[in-house]
């Protein structure tokens, strides 16, 4: 079976913005999930480190299992509303109905309820949330190669998308800082201001509800303003219009099983997994690193991530011209060097103070933004015109990311020196070592994979 290469597709700035906001709800929830879930479970609800790690692992495995399944079904589900937007809508509903219960104490529990029972209570909400998150993410990513065709436009659309990811993270941290600031102004007990505890339950609940309301509004804008080409049932792709300037060229049609025979598929998947390990694990452990290793006040868990994502936002503005000038792979390598610079700074400066952490946060934020956008651009390049199976590719990439992140968190939580929410002297340097390892060591592994892509560029077989 053959298909014809479609004419060049492009979008106006307005339509690019409308597309980019479609992942805003996911980004808001992901920011809270990775940045605040562990510190919320440890310091606010008092979970042991093992149970906190199990809860995060449940979410990551559920997400990892759902992503390829959602990708497969999205590729083969014809719908009058659009196969991508239908799954996006389903995912949005699942996120909205489940996420408020995650950042809220167990409603049926009391002080005598064992922690394993609370894990059982939270698990269904976590699974539904991750199913919805996966459906929204995969369907949204799969629209990129269907909305635009040129490589520069794919990079730009990915950069737009990441810009709103940065805005979402900035929004979470800014609102969190305002809530902490408001709390400090209305208490006379300094320990409440500096240390996290059960008194902060209403703060995190309020933060989650604000993020859900804001994200739902932007999801509505996406669905109203983004137009997806609706394929005829069984066609497997969007309607094709041959270019008037050249004769249509037949290309092979890739189904999901064909990707498993492509070397570039595994190269890009490993690079994407390393990228997500750096971005997600550093985001997960930056809060406990700040509070337990550097002994900074709790408002820093809003300020420092805010600095990271502001620097990432500024960096994202230069990604399209940089990638056009020096190439996607070289731009990715520059991002890795920034991440390694952060890891080296944290490792060498053992007495890092409140002033130094700002500079290190800028390096990590800029580096993380660069490698994330470039890895997504590489995935779009791999898919090319094979948009009929694009969701499966994105789902497979996400599977490696979710499983690796879940296993990484569980491993770190298992070897944590202190099993309770309180941090003993041994774990002061433990979280510094975690930050160095999940950024520096993983960045080195990503660099080795990148060199294989420089030797053997991304390509798929022609037959």
């Amino acid at each position: 079976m053959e298909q014809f290469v479609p004419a060049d597709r492009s979008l106006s700035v307005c339509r690019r913005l409308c597309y980019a906001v479609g992942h805003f709800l996911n980004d808001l929830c992901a920011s809270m999930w990775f940045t605040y879930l562990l510190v919320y479970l440890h310091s606010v609800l008092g979970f042991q480190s093992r149970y906190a790690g199990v809860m995060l692992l449940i979410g990551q495995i559920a997400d990892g299992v759902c992503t390829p399944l959602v990708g497969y079904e999205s590729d083969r589900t014809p719908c009058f509303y659009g196969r991508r937007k239908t799954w996006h809508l389903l995912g949005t509903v699942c996120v909205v109905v489940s996420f408020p219960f995650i950042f809220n104490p167990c409603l049926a529990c009391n002080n005598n309820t064992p922690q394993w029972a609370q894990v059982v209570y939270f698990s269904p909400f976590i699974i539904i949330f991750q199913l919805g998150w996966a459906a929204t993410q995969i369907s949204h990513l799969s629209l990129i190669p269907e909305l635009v065709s040129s490589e520069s436009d794919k990079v730009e659309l990915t950069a737009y998308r990441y810009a709103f990811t940065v805005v979402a993270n900035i929004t979470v941290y800014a609102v969190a800082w305002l809530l902490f600031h408001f709390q400090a102004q209305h208490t006379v007990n300094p320990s409440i201001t500096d240390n996290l505890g059960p008194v902060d339950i209403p703060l995190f609940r309020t933060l989650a509800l604000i993020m859900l309301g804001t994200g739902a509004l932007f999801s509505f804008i996406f669905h109203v303003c983004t137009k997806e080409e609706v394929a005829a049932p069984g066609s497997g792709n969007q309607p094709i219009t041959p270019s008037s300037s050249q004769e249509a060229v037949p290309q092979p049609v890739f189904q999901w099983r064909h990707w498993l025979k492509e070397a570039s598929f595994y190269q890009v998947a490993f690079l994407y997994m390393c990228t997500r390990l750096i971005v997600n694990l550093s985001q997960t452990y930056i809060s406990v690193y700040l509070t337990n290793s550097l002994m900074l006040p709790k408002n820093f868990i809003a300020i420092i991530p805010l600095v990271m994502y502001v620097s990432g936002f500024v960096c994202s503005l230069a990604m399209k011209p940089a990638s056009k000038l020096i190439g996607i792979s070289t731009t990715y390598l520059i991002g890795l060097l920034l991440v390694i610079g952060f890891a080296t700074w944290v490792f060498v400066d053992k007495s890092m103070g409140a002033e130094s952490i700002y500079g290190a946060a800028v390096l990590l934020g800029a580096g993380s933004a660069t490698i994330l956008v470039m890895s997504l651009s590489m995935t779009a390049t791999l898919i090319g015109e094979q948009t009929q199976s694009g969701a499966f590719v994105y789902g497979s990439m996400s599977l490696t990311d979710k499983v690796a992140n879940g296993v990484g968190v569980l491993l770190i939580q298992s070897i944590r020196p202190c099993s309770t929410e309180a941090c003993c002297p041994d774990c002061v340097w433990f979280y510094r070592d975690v930050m160095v390892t999940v950024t520096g060591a993983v960045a080195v592994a990503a660099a080795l994979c990148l060199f294989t892509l420089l030797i053997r560029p991304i390509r798929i077989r022609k037959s």
Side-chain angles (χ1 to χ4, degrees):
M1 178 180 179
E2 294 183 338
Q3 71 178 30
F4 293 98
V5 177
D8 287 346
R9 303 180 299 275
S10 60
L11 296 176
S12 65
V13 173
C14 181
R15 289 192 63 191
R16 292 177 187 181
L17 291 173
C18 291
Y19 163 80
V21 302
H23 205 252
F24 200 67
L25 173 61
N26 260 22
D27 291 329
L28 292 170
C29 294
S31 179
M32 288 198 62
W33 173 269
F34 285 111
T35 307
Y36 293 137
L37 182 65
L38 280 185
V39 73
Y40 174 75
L41 294 175
H42 274 313
S43 302
V44 179
L45 298 186
F47 274 76
Q48 294 182 5
S49 60
R50 181 177 69 258
Y51 287 119
V54 166
M55 287 177 62
L56 200 145
L57 178 63
I58 289 172
Q60 294 304 104
I61 291 179
D63 195 353
V65 171
C66 289
T67 44
L69 296 179
V70 169
Y72 176 75
E73 290 297 329
S74 176
D75 285 334
R76 63 191 294 270
T77 305
C79 181
F80 71 93
Y81 187 59
R83 55 182 178 169
R84 310 305 188 195
K85 288 178 65 177
T86 298
W87 280 94
H88 188 284
L89 181 60
L90 174 64
T92 300
V93 172
C94 290
V95 169
V96 170
V97 300
S98 61
F99 192 71
F101 293 95
I102 298 175
F103 281 90
N104 200 51
C106 174
L107 299 179
C109 303
N110 54 45
N111 294 334
N112 298 322
T113 304
Q115 291 190 358
W116 66 263
Q118 296 187 52
V119 172
V120 173
Y121 167 84
F122 282 112
S123 294
F125 299 113
I126 290 175
I127 292 171
I128 294 172
F129 164 66
Q130 294 292 358
L131 169 63
W133 203 96
T136 304
Q137 179 202 34
I138 298 306
S139 58
H140 194 254
L141 282 171
S142 302
L143 277 172
I144 292 178
E146 295 191 7
L147 295 176
V148 295
S149 56
S150 71
E151 297 306 319
S152 61
D153 284 342
K154 291 175 184 177
V155 172
E156 185 173 18
L157 202 58
T158 305
Y160 270 78
R161 185 179 184 274
Y162 184 76
F164 276 96
T165 299
V166 174
V167 172
N169 282 273
I170 291 174
T171 302
V172 170
Y173 303 136
V175 173
W177 179 83
L178 289 174
L179 292 174
F180 282 127
H181 182 70
F182 180 79
Q183 182 192 65
Q185 286 186 328
H186 291 79
T187 184
V188 294
N189 188 349
S191 64
I192 294 179
T193 303
D194 294 335
N195 302 313
L196 288 166
V199 70
D200 295 304
I201 289 175
L203 187 149
F204 283 98
R205 179 170 55 230
T206 301
L207 179 62
L209 292 176
I210 292 174
M211 295 306 106
L212 276 178
T214 305
L217 174 62
F218 281 94
S219 293
F220 176 77
I221 294 173
F222 164 80
H223 279 276
V224 171
C225 301
T226 300
K227 308 300 180 184
E228 178 186 357
E229 295 286 352
V230 180
S235 65
N237 205 351
Q238 74 274 8
I240 302 298
T241 304
S243 172
S244 59
S245 61
Q246 60 180 10
E247 186 177 351
V249 180
Q251 295 289 340
V253 172
F254 265 52
Q255 303 301 328
W256 68 270
R257 62 185 179 276
H258 299 133
W259 289 109
L260 302 180
K261 302 176 183 179
E262 295 298 322
S264 293
F265 176 80
Y266 297 99
Q267 289 173 295
V268 175
F270 183 81
L271 201 65
Y272 183 79
M273 180 189 72
C274 291
T275 300
R276 281 296 186 177
L277 278 173
I278 293 170
V279 174
N280 293 344
L281 290 185
S282 64
Q283 187 177 1
T284 299
Y285 284 99
I286 188 68
S287 295
V288 287
Y289 169 67
L290 295 171
T291 55
N292 292 341
S293 294
L294 301 185
M295 305 298 182
L296 296 173
K298 66 183 181 182
N299 63 318
F300 272 79
I301 69 174
I303 296 173
I304 296 303
L306 182 62
V307 172
M308 289 169 50
Y309 279 93
V310 168
S311 65
F313 177 75
V314 173
C315 187
S316 67
L317 300 177
M319 287 184 192
K320 181 182 179 181
S323 63
K324 290 185 68 174
L325 181 64
I326 61 178
I328 293 177
S329 297
T330 305
T331 306
Y332 184 93
L333 179 60
I334 293 174
L336 285 180
L337 293 177
L338 292 174
V339 172
I340 293 174
F342 164 83
T344 304
W345 193 342
V346 171
F347 182 76
V348 172
D349 191 355
K350 293 180 172 59
S351 59
M352 182 178 291
E355 297 80 13
S356 300
I357 190 61
Y358 286 103
V362 169
L363 287 180
L364 181 59
S368 297
T370 302
I371 62 176
L372 183 55
V373 172
M374 292 301 106
S375 65
L376 288 172
S377 299
M378 290 178 188
T379 307
T381 300
L382 174 68
I383 295 172
E385 295 298 335
Q386 304 294 339
T387 58
Q388 73 287 336
S389 56
F392 171 79
V393 176
Y394 281 116
S396 301
M397 302 296 161
S398 189
L399 171 63
T400 64
D401 140 43
K402 300 304 187 303
V403 174
N405 275 282
V407 171
V409 169
L410 185 62
L411 177 63
I412 292 170
Q413 293 301 110
S414 299
I415 64 177
R416 181 178 184 263
C418 311
S419 61
T420 61
E421 69 274 11
C423 188
C424 63
D426 290 336
C427 74
V428 170
W429 298 116
F430 172 75
Y431 286 116
R432 187 208 66 170
D433 296 337
V434 167
M435 290 301 296
V436 171
T437 303
V438 301
T439 54
V442 178
V444 171
L448 294 176
C449 180
L450 180 65
F451 289 137
T452 68
L453 283 174
L454 295 176
I455 297 172
R456 180 191 172 95
I458 297 174
R459 62 173 179 265
I460 59 176
R461 293 177 298 121
K462 297 300 182 183
S463 62

